[in-house]
Amino acid sequence: MTSPTVKLNSGHQMPLVGFGLWKVKNDTCADTVYNAIKTGYRLFDGACDYGNEVEAGQGVARAIKEKLVSRDELFIVSKLWNSFHDHDRVEPICQKQLNDWGIDHFDLYIVHFPISLKYVDPSVRYPPGFTFDGKKVVPGNATIQETWTAMESLVDKGLTKSIGISNFNGQLIMDLLRYAKIVPATLQIEHHPYLTQEGLVKLAQANDMAVTAYSSFGPQSFLELEMQRAKDTPLLFDNKTVKSIADKHGRSRAQVLLRWATQRNIAVIPKSNNQNRLLQNLDVTSFDLSKSELEEISGLNQHLRFNDPLNYGVDQPIYV
C-alpha cells in the first residue's frame, strides 16, 4: 500500500500521506525509516532541527540497497533552520544536510520558520536550536526575501526539486508572492481540529500551494514535551464527535482525523512505532467522510496553537 499523490506547482508529484521524523529517536531512526518504507511510506519529512538526518539516511540507504525502493520512488523533505537564513549560508547547510542523508538532492526543501537567528557554525553545535550559545536567542539580519532568493538558487543548482515554506502567516505569504520568482510549492502548518486555520489554508490553495499538516492529532504530539498547554487540553482521540464518526465508519480515531485533512486536499505526516498504526495511518484515503462529518470536526476549532516558540520559552512572538 502506498499513498496517492498531489501535483505540486513545480510539476512534481508529492504523496498525500508521509512519515514525519520529528522526535524520532536517533537510536531507532534508521530502523524506523526502513520499516516505514517496507510498509509503503514514500515521503519522509525531516529537518536539520530534528537532529536525526544521518540515521534517517541510513534507513533509506538500506532500503535502496535491498531493492525495496529506488531513490526516484521516494520523496525526501528537509528544512532550512533559522540560524542559516543569510544568503551565503543557505547552500552550504543544504549541502551538509544532503550529505547527512547520503543523497544528491531533496524533493522538497522548506524554510522551517520565518525567523532569522544569528549564525552558529555547525562545527560548534549542530543542530543549533533556537539559541546562539546554548542560552541566549540572538536575532539574525536576513530578510525573508534574502533567504527566499537563496532558496530559489537551490532549485537552479539541482539541490532540490521544489521549495516551500512552513509556519508562515498570511501577511508574510502575500509579501513573498510579490517578489518570488519561484512560488512556494508547499505550506506546512500546524493543522488539526483545534486549529483549523481555514483562512490560511484557503489563501495557500488559492495561490497553488499544497498544504501539509503537522501535529494532526493536536495536543497528543506535545505531551511528551511536558507542555502545560497540551496537558490542559482534552485529547482529540477522546472527543465524542471524533469517537462517534470513527465508530460509524469502523475506523480508528487517528484515521478519521487524518481523513478530515486529506479529504480537503491537505497532506499529512503522522508517525508511529506501532506496525498496525503505521498501516492504518497510511490507509486514510480509501474512505470518505460526509460533508456534515467534515463540518462537525471543523467545528471543534478553538484557535489553539501548540507549536509556538513562546510555548517553549523562546521569545520569538511570530503568531501575535
Side-chain angles (χ1 to χ4, degrees):
M1 180 194 306
T2 56
S3 166
T5 61
V6 57
K7 188 174 183 179
L8 302 180
N9 62 28
S10 58
H12 299 288
Q13 297 286 337
M14 182 181 79
L16 197 57
V17 182
F19 190 96
L21 294 169
W22 182 44
K23 297 184 295 163
V24 175
K25 296 178 180 178
N26 294 77
D27 59 349
T28 59
C29 186
D31 287 341
T32 297
V33 168
Y34 172 83
N35 187 55
I37 291 173
K38 203 171 183 178
T39 303
Y41 287 83
R42 296 295 178 262
L43 184 152
F44 290 88
D45 181 81
C48 155
D49 192 51
Y50 302 165
N52 56 13
E53 294 192 294
V54 169
E55 295 82 0
Q58 291 168 351
V60 166
R62 179 183 166 197
I64 292 174
K65 183 179 180 180
E66 295 183 11
K67 294 183 168 37
L68 295 180
V69 70
S70 69
R71 171 65 183 93
D72 289 344
E73 293 175 288
L74 295 175
F75 193 99
I76 296 178
V77 183
S78 192
K79 305 180 187 75
L80 176 76
W81 185 244
N82 311 333
S83 310
F84 308 107
H85 275 214
D86 295 325
H87 189 282
D88 61 347
R89 304 294 187 187
V90 173
E91 183 179 337
I93 200 63
C94 178
Q95 188 62 66
K96 172 183 166 38
Q97 291 176 259
L98 288 169
N99 293 341
D100 286 349
W101 274 92
I103 57 178
D104 62 6
H105 71 274
F106 289 119
D107 295 281
L108 174 64
Y109 195 59
I110 295 172
V111 178
H112 203 151
F113 279 97
I115 298 172
S116 171
L117 297 179
K118 188 174 181 179
Y119 174 70
V120 177
D121 192 306
S123 67
V124 174
R125 192 175 71 255
Y126 189 84
F130 274 99
T131 62
F132 173 67
D133 55 3
K135 297 177 182 178
K136 188 176 181 181
V137 177
V138 181
N141 295 317
T143 64
I144 297 297
Q145 183 170 4
E146 176 184 341
T147 303
W148 190 251
T149 301
M151 292 285 287
E152 291 172 329
S153 73
L154 300 179
V155 178
D156 296 337
K157 294 177 180 180
L159 297 180
T160 184
K161 291 183 176 180
S162 302
I163 49 178
I165 53 179
S166 180
N167 300 307
F168 277 52
N169 63 23
Q171 183 180 9
L172 281 175
I173 292 171
M174 291 170 68
D175 184 61
L176 186 152
L177 290 174
R178 284 171 169 79
Y179 54 75
K181 294 178 181 176
I182 300 177
V183 174
T186 66
L187 168 67
Q188 187 174 125
I189 55 172
E190 180 179 347
H191 179 78
H192 46 74
Y194 288 153
L195 183 68
T196 58
Q197 304 206 76
E198 292 169 6
L200 187 58
V201 170
K202 184 177 179 181
L203 172 66
Q205 292 179 338
N207 284 282
D208 202 21
M209 297 179 213
V211 177
T212 298
Y214 67 76
S215 300
S216 294
F217 306 141
Q220 187 77 31
S221 301
F222 300 89
L223 289 175
E224 63 191 87
L225 302 179
E226 297 295 322
M227 183 181 289
Q228 193 59 47
R229 174 171 285 200
K231 291 179 181 179
D232 294 340
T233 304
L235 295 179
L236 282 165
F237 290 157
D238 295 336
N239 182 273
K240 64 180 182 180
T241 296
V242 176
K243 289 165 68 174
S244 173
I245 294 172
D247 290 343
K248 177 181 175 182
H249 289 270
R251 299 283 179 163
S252 72
R253 296 160 199 177
Q255 285 177 303
V256 166
L257 292 171
L258 295 172
R259 186 55 177 147
W260 169 75
T262 61
Q263 195 167 325
R264 294 176 300 118
N265 295 316
I266 296 174
V268 293
I269 45 173
K271 71 176 177 71
S272 178
N273 295 320
N274 178 283
Q275 184 61 33
N276 188 46
R277 287 197 293 271
L278 265 180
L279 286 164
Q280 288 180 346
N281 289 349
L282 194 56
D283 181 22
V284 290
T285 57
S286 63
F287 68 101
D288 288 333
L289 304 176
S290 69
K291 184 172 182 283
S292 63
E293 288 170 336
L294 291 171
E295 291 172 349
E296 276 187 87
I297 297 172
S298 295
L300 301 175
N301 185 37
Q302 298 178 27
H303 307 286
L304 187 57
R305 186 186 305 277
F306 299 98
N307 194 38
D308 184 334
L310 296 178
N311 289 343
Y312 303 107
V314 176
D315 188 20
Q316 293 291 296
I318 59 175
Y319 296 118
V320 296

